[in-house]
């Protein structure tokens, strides 16, 4: 995968979850290496834009960087020095425009290759490369270093993963997509890496640091090898944790990284945990123990001073563990992360949130599933029509949701109004609202209603959820609740973690260990393990773990 010459140049630095690989070790390394070489040709790369932004923030917090005039002279100084592997390859690779950088690109592609229209919705139109089955298939094949056919025949469950498409359709789309890119002079993520790797000459650098190295796909490793060949020093550093190699489906190779990081020792083996409680730390080490035994090593990983707890819950109905979870959500301002392997888990997780009236959001979203402004509109409307003054901001929230039949004026009226509280009667007197609205206590009877059956059903469910929040007195919920799949939550730290072990298909044994270890190790304090609700369970050979 990587030549022996390059491997001999790499300094591997390993650390279990929450040992400060990014915020402490890489920060210290960058400070030392930039003192030695300067910052001009020092490169730090990761895989996602979120991780790259975190790296930038970490390095910008170094005292020497903060007090220098680098960022005053050029606020984008680190844009291509601390970034994603793809961004760096793009900067020093081809000159073609990035596909989908224009909103019209996907519609144009659909016109050129109508098969793309078989799967098209708002999420796909917004981010085709992330959400369309073809692009997932194309990216995963490229990551594994395979053509589409070979990838299809060796992928875990291609018919389900890339539905509604079969192999023949995907191949036709691939042919049309490549022609579209050529005709429009476009490139995608895969092209960026390939063009960079093929270049006979790339810029020399003084030092190179790769964060979360275990996530590298085969083409990314080839790009890193190209970079390493042009590092003028011996400072090629790969930082990571092979036990968190959970992107095998996209081309990362657990066996390669286990062997790469196996012999890291001394200051290059981080041991002090800054995240996981004693209970979570012990549980996670029991999960990953068979991997350590397979590769012939053990890892020192110290917990924090927090004792913590691990609870097992059979389902999301009544149990001792569930009562502990609900009690803690109700009486704390801590974070609670619900994570799962299979999308099917949403079929019981989301109804659970809604049944208990818990405010929640998806990992990566800045917004709650139902905003506080909308919730407060339903809660305060009966008070408003009975005479309790409401802020202008709250009344604007009413306006946003009220059906136009109930508003005598449009939202432009608010631009001329004094920012203060108003009564319902004042708005009636101003001829902005009709006095008959005071007869309707339930705000949901006055809001805009979709015309289609599906939209009406969604609204009915939404109103039911809003009423559940109000009835459970959770309007002022202090706890933060998020949910997302194992791959989405990698790299996160939260106070408490709830791990759903449900799976819908068989998983290779060691991949189960990596997944379970990564998911459970997100937590600081307490961990809840939800037994499989599908009959197939992740870590089903680990009943001994307590």
């Amino acid at each position: 995968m990587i030549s022996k010459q390059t491997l001999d140049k790499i300094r591997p630095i390993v650390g279990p979850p929450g040992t400060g690989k990014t915020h402490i070790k890489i920060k210290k390394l960058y400070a030392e290496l930039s003192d030695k070489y300067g910052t001009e040709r020092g490169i730090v790369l990761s895989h996602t834009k979120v991780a790259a932004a975190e790296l930038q923030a970490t390095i910008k917090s170094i005292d020497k960087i903060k007090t220098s005039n680098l960022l005053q002279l050029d606020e984008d100084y680190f844009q291509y020095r601390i970034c994603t592997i793809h961004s760096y390859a793009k900067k020093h690779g081809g000159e073609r425009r990035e596909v989908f950088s224009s909103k019209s690109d996907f519609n144009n592609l659909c016109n050129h290759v109508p098969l793309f229209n078989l799967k098209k919705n708002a999420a796909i139109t917004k981010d085709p490369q992330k959400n369309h089955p073809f692009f997932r298939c194309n990216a995963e094949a490229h990551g594994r270093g395979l053509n589409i056919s070979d990838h299809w025949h060796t992928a875990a469950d291609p018919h389900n993963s890339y539905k509604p498409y079969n192999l023949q359709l995907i191949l036709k789309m691939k042919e049309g997509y490549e022609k579209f890119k050529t005709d429009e002079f476009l490139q995608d993520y895969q092209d960026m890496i390939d063009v960079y790797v093929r270049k006979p000459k790339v810029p020399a650098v003084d030092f190179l640091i790769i964060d979360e190295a275990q996530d590298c796909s085969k083409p990314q490793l080839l790009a890193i090898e190209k970079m390493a060949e042009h590092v003028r020093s011996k400072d090629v550093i790969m930082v990571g944790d092979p036990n968190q190699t959970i992107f095998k489906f996209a081309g990362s190779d657990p066996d390669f990284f286990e062997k790469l990081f196996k012999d890291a020792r001394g200051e290059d083996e981080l041991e002090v945990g800054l995240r996981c409680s004693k209970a979570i730390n012990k549980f996670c080490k029991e999960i990953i123990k068979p991997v350590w035994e397979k590769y012939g090593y053990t890892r020192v990983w110290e917990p924090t001073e927090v004792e913590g707890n691990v609870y097992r819950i059979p389902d999301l109905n009544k149990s001792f563990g569930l009562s502990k979870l609900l009690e803690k959500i109700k009486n704390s301002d801590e974070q609670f992360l619900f994570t799962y392997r299979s999308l099917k888990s949403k079929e019981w997780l989301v109804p659970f949130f809604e049944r208990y009236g818990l405010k929640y959001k998806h990992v990566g979203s800045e917004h709650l599933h139902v905003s506080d402004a909308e919730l407060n509109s339903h809660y305060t409307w009966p008070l408003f029509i009975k005479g309790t003054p409401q802020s202008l901001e709250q009344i604007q929230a009413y306006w946003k949701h009220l059906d136009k039949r109930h508003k005598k004026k449009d939202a432009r009226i608010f631009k001329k109004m004094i920012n203060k509280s108003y009564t319902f009667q004042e708005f009636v007197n101003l001829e902005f609202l009709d006095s008959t609205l005071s007869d309707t206590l339930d705000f949901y009877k006055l809001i805009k209603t979709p015309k289609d059956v599906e939209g009406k059903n969604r609204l009915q469910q939404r109103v039911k959820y809003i009423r559940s929040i109000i009835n459970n007195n959770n309007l002022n919920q202090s706890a933060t609740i998020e949910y997302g799949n194992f791959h989405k939550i990698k790299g996160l730290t939260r106070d408490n973690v709830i791990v759903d072990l449900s799976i819908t298909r068989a998983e290779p044994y060691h991949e189960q260990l990596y997944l379970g270890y990564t998911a459970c190790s997100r937590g600081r304090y307490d961990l809840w393990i939800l037994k499989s609700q599908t009959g197939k369970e992740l870590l089903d050979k680990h009943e001994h773990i307590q």
Side-chain angles (χ1 to χ4, degrees):
M1 190 177 297
I2 286 184
S3 69
K4 185 178 185 305
Q5 182 180 357
T6 301
L7 284 172
D8 290 342
K9 206 172 185 180
I10 292 172
R11 173 185 171 187
I13 295 177
V14 67
T19 49
K21 293 186 289 294
T22 300
H23 296 99
I24 297 177
K25 191 64 177 181
I26 289 180
K27 182 178 180 179
K28 181 174 182 289
L29 283 168
Y30 190 89
E32 293 171 352
L33 293 171
S34 61
D35 279 344
K36 184 176 179 180
Y37 302 109
T39 59
E40 178 67 23
R41 291 189 178 88
I43 306 300
V44 186
L45 305 178
S46 193
H47 297 267
T48 66
K49 292 179 181 178
V50 172
E54 187 177 349
L55 279 169
Q56 279 203 20
T58 297
I59 287 169
K60 287 177 182 178
S61 71
I62 297 171
D63 289 338
K64 180 184 174 181
I65 302 296
K66 285 194 296 185
T67 56
S68 72
N69 63 354
L70 289 176
L71 296 173
Q72 283 75 24
L73 294 173
D74 181 4
E75 63 181 15
D76 294 327
Y77 183 82
F78 289 113
Q79 183 177 1
Y80 293 109
R81 293 179 174 90
I82 306 170
C83 58
T84 65
I85 297 170
H86 282 100
S87 293
Y88 186 79
K90 175 186 176 184
K91 171 70 174 176
H92 301 289
E95 298 179 353
R96 292 181 291 167
R97 179 171 68 82
E98 184 179 339
V99 69
F100 307 130
S101 58
S102 169
K103 291 182 179 179
S104 62
D105 283 346
F106 185 59
N107 284 332
N108 291 339
L109 174 61
C110 291
N111 291 333
H112 280 74
V113 188
L115 282 170
F116 280 93
N117 289 306
L118 285 178
K119 183 75 174 180
K120 192 175 181 182
N121 53 39
I124 286 173
T125 301
K126 183 179 180 180
D127 192 346
Q129 293 194 101
K130 178 182 177 182
N131 297 314
H132 196 284
F134 168 81
F135 293 109
R136 289 202 305 273
C137 180
N138 191 47
E140 289 165 13
H142 182 265
R144 297 176 65 201
L146 301 174
N147 61 42
I148 294 288
S149 292
D150 289 344
H151 168 67
W152 186 279
H153 291 301
T154 54
D157 188 9
H159 294 281
N160 194 44
S161 298
Y162 310 128
K163 62 183 180 183
Y165 300 104
N166 57 32
L167 175 58
Q168 287 69 34
L169 294 178
I170 291 282
L171 289 172
K172 287 182 182 178
M173 295 164 76
K174 175 70 171 176
E175 182 181 354
Y177 174 58
E178 294 300 330
K179 184 176 186 304
F180 172 76
K181 286 191 298 177
T182 300
D183 292 346
E184 301 295 323
F185 202 63
L186 300 170
Q187 64 177 347
D188 59 18
Y189 288 149
Q190 292 75 43
D191 298 324
M192 294 175 198
I193 295 290
D194 293 344
V195 170
Y196 178 84
V197 170
R198 289 196 300 266
K199 288 196 75 167
K201 187 176 180 180
V202 297
V205 297
D206 291 317
F207 63 90
L208 171 65
I209 301 173
I210 306 296
D211 192 20
E212 298 291 352
Q214 76 280 347
D215 292 338
C216 289
S217 66
K218 291 183 179 180
Q220 287 173 334
L221 283 174
L222 292 175
I224 290 167
E225 180 166 37
K226 187 85 168 186
M227 297 172 200
E229 290 170 355
H230 292 79
V231 175
R232 292 181 290 202
S233 67
K234 292 184 178 180
D235 290 304
V236 178
I237 300 166
M238 298 185 79
V239 183
D241 178 6
N243 300 157
Q244 297 185 67
T245 309
I246 64 172
F247 289 96
K248 185 178 179 181
F249 67 91
S252 61
D253 186 341
D255 187 67
F256 172 81
F257 290 109
E258 287 288 357
K259 292 172 181 175
L260 176 68
F261 286 108
K262 178 182 176 181
D263 297 322
R265 291 291 181 269
E267 66 173 330
D268 292 341
E269 184 180 20
L270 308 183
E271 299 177 346
V272 180
L274 307 171
R275 177 194 299 160
C276 297
S277 65
K278 294 176 182 177
I280 294 178
N281 178 281
K282 179 183 177 183
F283 189 87
C284 290
K285 284 192 281 195
E286 285 296 317
I287 291 174
I288 208 65
K289 185 179 178 181
V291 173
W292 294 353
E293 291 174 345
K294 176 183 177 182
Y295 288 97
Y297 68 86
T298 56
R299 192 79 71 203
V300 175
W301 176 26
E302 298 175 4
T304 64
E305 292 301 311
V306 176
E307 292 295 333
N309 297 283
V310 176
Y311 300 99
R312 289 186 179 273
I313 45 180
D315 51 41
L316 293 172
N317 295 312
K318 291 184 178 181
S319 67
F320 172 77
L322 188 65
S323 65
K324 284 289 185 182
L325 174 59
L326 291 169
E327 179 184 347
K328 195 170 189 184
I329 290 174
K330 191 80 172 177
N331 299 309
S332 78
D333 59 358
E334 293 179 7
Q335 303 156 325
F336 296 81
L337 176 62
F338 288 74
T339 186
Y340 51 86
R341 176 70 179 106
S342 167
L343 277 174
K344 193 171 181 62
S345 294
K346 293 170 69 173
E347 294 179 12
W348 45 86
L349 288 180
V350 171
F352 166 74
F353 300 146
E354 297 183 349
R355 184 166 70 251
Y356 286 96
L358 302 173
K359 295 196 286 186
Y360 69 95
K361 63 181 179 179
H362 196 274
V363 166
S365 174
E366 296 179 3
H367 308 289
L368 290 167
H369 179 62
V370 175
S371 70
D372 283 334
E374 185 176 352
L375 289 169
N376 287 327
S377 294
H378 286 261
Y379 179 72
T380 62
W381 176 258
L383 303 174
F384 182 53
I385 61 176
K386 288 181 179 179
T388 303
Q390 298 296 326
S391 69
L392 187 64
E393 182 181 12
Q394 178 57 68
I395 297 171
Q396 285 178 291
Y398 297 146
W399 231 256
K400 178 181 177 181
H401 298 287
L402 279 170
D403 190 284
K404 62 182 180 180
R405 293 175 297 132
H406 304 307
K407 298 179 287 191
K408 291 188 174 182
K409 302 286 183 179
D410 62 34
R412 286 177 292 183
I413 60 171
F414 294 105
K415 293 181 180 180
K416 299 179 180 179
M417 298 190 72
I418 299 170
N419 188 10
K420 68 180 189 72
S421 294
Y422 293 86
T423 64
F424 174 75
Q425 190 58 48
E426 285 178 285
F427 263 64
V428 170
N429 294 342
L430 289 167
E431 297 185 347
F432 294 163
L433 291 173
D434 194 291
S435 61
T436 59
L437 293 181
S438 63
D439 298 330
T440 307
L441 288 172
D442 293 321
F443 188 68
Y444 75 88
K445 294 180 179 178
L446 303 173
I447 62 180
K448 291 174 280 191
T449 303
K451 294 181 180 179
D452 62 293
V453 175
E454 186 178 347
K456 288 179 179 178
N457 289 337
R458 282 198 305 269
L459 178 60
Q460 186 179 28
Q461 188 64 32
R462 188 179 186 87
V463 169
K464 182 181 178 182
Y465 170 51
I466 289 170
R467 295 172 81 173
S468 178
I469 291 174
I470 294 171
N471 293 338
N472 281 281
N473 297 315
N474 286 335
L475 275 174
N476 298 315
Q477 174 185 305
S478 298
T480 301
I481 297 175
E482 299 169 276
Y483 77 102
N485 66 50
F486 290 172
H487 296 92
K488 190 76 173 178
I489 58 97
K490 186 177 179 293
L492 298 182
T493 297
R494 295 294 186 265
D495 296 330
N496 306 279
V497 180
I498 301 87
V499 177
D500 183 355
L501 297 181
S502 304
I503 54 177
T504 55
R505 57 179 171 81
E507 300 267 6
Y509 176 58
H510 283 88
E511 289 181 36
Q512 292 187 42
L513 304 183
Y514 291 129
L515 287 164
Y517 175 80
T518 301
C520 294
S521 61
R522 300 307 94 201
R524 289 190 184 98
Y525 308 140
D526 294 340
L527 168 66
W528 281 262
I529 299 296
L530 173 61
K531 184 177 175 61
S532 174
Q533 307 299 293
T534 61
K536 295 179 181 178
E537 184 161 287
L538 198 74
L539 308 178
D540 61 351
K541 296 181 181 179
H542 279 65
E543 295 90 347
H544 65 285
I545 298 176
Q546 299 298 321

